[in-house]
Amino acid sequence: MSTRITVAVVGGGIAGLVAARELALGGAEVSLYERASELGGRVRSTALAGAPIDIGAEAFATRGGAVMQLIEELRLASEVVRPEPLGSWVVTEERSLPLPPGGALGIPSAPLGRASRRVLGTWGALRAALEPLLPRDRTVDRATTLADLVRRRLGERVLDRLVRPVALGVYSTAPEELSLSRLRDLAEAYEREGSLIRAARSLRDSSSAAGGAVAALRGGMAGLVTALAADLERLGVSIHTGHSVEHLGTFAPDGAEPADTILLATPEVTTRALLASSDADSVGDDQPRELQPGTRVEVIALAIEDSRLDAAPRGTGALVAPGTPGIAAKALTHVTAKWADRRAMRDSSVHVVRLSYGRAGSEPETVALSDAEAYELARQDASRILGVELRADAIRDAARKIWVTSTATDANQPLTPQPGIGLAGDWVHGTGLASVVPGARQAARALLAEAQHTLNESDESQVRST
């Protein structure tokens, strides 16, 4: 009798691909099932003006080193590129200003610095600078929201002018909805330092700031998906795309035997539905709750021929404060200013910008618009954000894509699946590849250890019975 552990991985996004690889490296026989026709989830590219462009995730945070470790294992280290040091901006109702460098989630590491004073004003900067002198707040725990903590310790100006735009841009979630349980790096740094300013400095120095130090792959992040898929093929993983899993007991193709264990790398709403279909007692909530599928975000990319953009008027891009009149987008990335390799792939006169729409609690402003209407709105928004009136006839190409972003589960309503099932994904481990990649590897290792323990117990039982 074979003692090789069999595992089914449901979900072919980055979490599923990384988990499947880790399981195969651990000696398991792995099958991966993905509903879509393509692997990669929100890491996806599309053609724009004759060259590929990231229409999903465009970079990874370097904090923790887990993504770089994976990239090195996949022999892609020579393909890593860094953004141009141009800085980014924040656009508010009053004006557009460069964001203070460093820090974490908009929390300034140098509140009395010139950039911070320009955004916060003298009073707001002084209020923030006094924060390290405040006594440690013993009432703060992982259920405390980012908004509550920042308001108490740094004041309303830091919250509204810096933290809110960054939180909405990075997490598509208002700081009132972001608990510290979802911001593990910041929560741990605050617990250690007892001050948000000192925590921001600590994260800056360790390259751990969310939305801070980032890198990408030459030509786009889709190269990571290609490399992972090739490595899974080398490791003998069976990949099934276009295969929708509706019930955990019925998805094995061609009459194959059910897997020993299952790893679900699917959104929370899908995961809970699958677990409920398998075992009504596995969901883990005392009371059933209505689950939303996630926050919908639309990305629109424009290829623009306009020499006035050569000066990168908003650096690598800008975050837009909520309620800014005349701008529906929440963020803009000047792709060809931020990434030199993307600029080299195109005619030097063509610039690429990406605009993001949709904040937590509301649909993207573009969702009901035709392509022509959506691209016109994006042109107008880009004009106002960049401070350059872009002509309609300067748009050389455009693309759009709607994504559903998951959110980390509420720490007060944990999901506890039955033995033999593991969970991975951004709603489990946090937003961004820097959280998803190590989380998926950890989940795979834990599942393998559990399966091996069960197998050893079974073998010992058979020996005793003989």
Side-chain angles (χ1 to χ4, degrees):
M1 180 180 69
S2 172
T3 58
R4 192 179 183 192
I5 297 166
T6 60
V7 185
V9 176
V10 183
I14 293 297
L17 295 173
V18 170
R21 179 176 180 272
E22 194 71 23
L23 290 162
L25 288 171
E29 181 179 343
V30 183
S31 297
L32 184 144
Y33 303 90
E34 167 54 42
R35 178 176 57 187
S37 59
E38 297 179 59
L39 298 171
R42 292 194 296 278
V43 177
R44 188 80 55 86
S45 68
T46 191
L48 187 77
I53 179 70
D54 290 310
I55 200 68
E58 64 144 9
F60 62 91
T62 57
R63 68 181 190 270
V67 183
M68 272 303 305
Q69 180 184 339
L70 175 65
I71 285 172
E72 289 168 358
E73 291 174 9
L74 294 171
R75 300 183 179 180
L76 292 175
S78 63
E79 298 301 305
V80 173
V81 294
R82 306 283 176 171
E84 297 295 297
L86 301 176
S88 55
W89 288 55
V90 60
V91 178
T92 69
E93 182 176 356
E94 295 84 11
R95 51 187 173 171
S96 300
L97 292 169
L99 275 170
L105 268 171
I107 298 167
S109 60
L112 292 180
R114 184 170 181 267
S116 295
R117 295 198 314 272
R118 288 182 66 186
V119 176
L120 299 173
T122 300
W123 168 246
L126 286 171
R127 167 73 172 83
L130 292 172
E131 187 267 347
L133 302 177
L134 298 177
R136 182 187 293 265
D137 191 337
R138 302 292 181 181
T139 66
V140 173
D141 57 26
R142 293 303 174 95
T144 302
T145 68
L146 178 63
D148 187 33
L149 183 58
V150 170
R151 184 182 292 111
R152 276 190 265 166
R153 296 197 65 86
L154 296 170
E156 293 285 351
R157 288 192 182 184
V158 172
L159 175 61
D160 290 334
R161 297 185 185 185
L162 291 175
V163 172
R164 189 178 305 281
V166 174
L168 288 166
V170 174
Y171 291 94
S172 296
T173 304
E176 287 81 4
E177 303 298 325
L178 274 173
S179 67
L180 294 185
S181 64
R182 291 179 55 190
L183 306 170
R184 295 168 189 169
D185 290 331
L186 179 62
E188 290 172 2
Y190 176 73
E191 289 174 3
R192 183 174 63 251
E193 303 289 343
S195 158
L196 280 177
I197 297 294
R198 289 198 294 268
R201 291 171 182 163
S202 171
L203 293 175
R204 176 201 61 191
D205 295 340
S206 63
S207 298
S208 297
V214 297
L217 293 178
R218 194 181 316 278
M221 289 302 297
L224 178 61
V225 178
T226 302
L228 280 168
D231 212 38
L232 293 186
E233 183 176 354
R234 177 185 68 84
L235 292 168
V237 174
S238 176
I239 299 175
H240 307 268
T241 56
H243 192 110
S244 182
V245 176
E246 306 296 339
H247 190 284
L248 294 185
T250 60
F251 63 86
D254 305 323
E257 289 294 320
D260 298 322
T261 58
I262 299 169
L263 192 142
L264 300 178
T266 50
E268 180 181 10
V269 65
T270 304
T271 300
R272 289 183 181 272
L274 286 170
L275 291 176
S277 73
S278 173
D279 181 351
D281 295 328
S282 68
V283 176
D285 287 341
D286 293 333
Q287 297 293 332
R289 61 189 176 107
E290 183 179 353
L291 285 169
Q292 301 301 318
T295 298
R296 291 212 290 182
V297 174
E298 177 151 22
V299 175
I300 295 181
L302 302 177
I304 308 165
E305 188 170 355
D306 193 319
S307 61
R308 292 174 296 174
L309 299 184
D310 294 350
R314 295 294 179 262
T316 60
L319 298 167
V320 180
T324 301
I327 302 177
K330 67 176 184 178
L332 175 147
T333 301
H334 191 162
V335 176
T336 45
K338 185 174 183 178
W339 305 104
D341 66 299
R342 314 297 199 277
R343 184 168 61 250
M345 294 166 65
R346 293 172 172 79
D347 187 289
S348 60
S349 63
V350 176
H351 292 262
V352 174
V353 299
R354 285 180 17 143
L355 297 101
S356 300
Y357 294 87
R359 294 180 168 98
S362 62
E363 285 282 81
E365 295 81 354
T366 51
V367 70
L369 300 182
S370 67
D371 285 351
E373 292 169 334
Y375 298 150
E376 174 59 17
L377 176 61
R379 181 191 69 82
Q380 294 175 10
D381 283 350
S383 296
R384 293 176 181 125
I385 294 170
L386 293 167
V388 175
E389 186 58 38
L390 302 169
R391 302 186 312 274
D393 61 4
I395 307 301
R396 295 289 174 258
D397 200 1
R400 64 189 298 198
K401 177 68 178 178
I402 290 180
W403 300 103
V404 178
T405 63
S406 299
T407 56
T409 190
D410 188 335
N412 296 320
Q413 294 181 304
L415 183 61
T416 307
Q418 61 264 45
I421 296 180
L423 307 177
D426 53 4
W427 69 274
V428 181
H429 299 113
T431 301
L433 296 181
S435 298
V436 168
V437 167
R441 299 186 91 155
Q442 179 184 15
R445 291 167 184 163
L447 195 62
L448 271 179
E450 179 187 341
Q452 189 61 56
H453 178 73
T454 300
L455 185 63
N456 291 342
E457 284 189 334
S458 176
D459 290 345
E460 291 174 4
S461 177
Q462 290 183 19
V463 169
R464 286 195 297 270
S465 65
T466 57

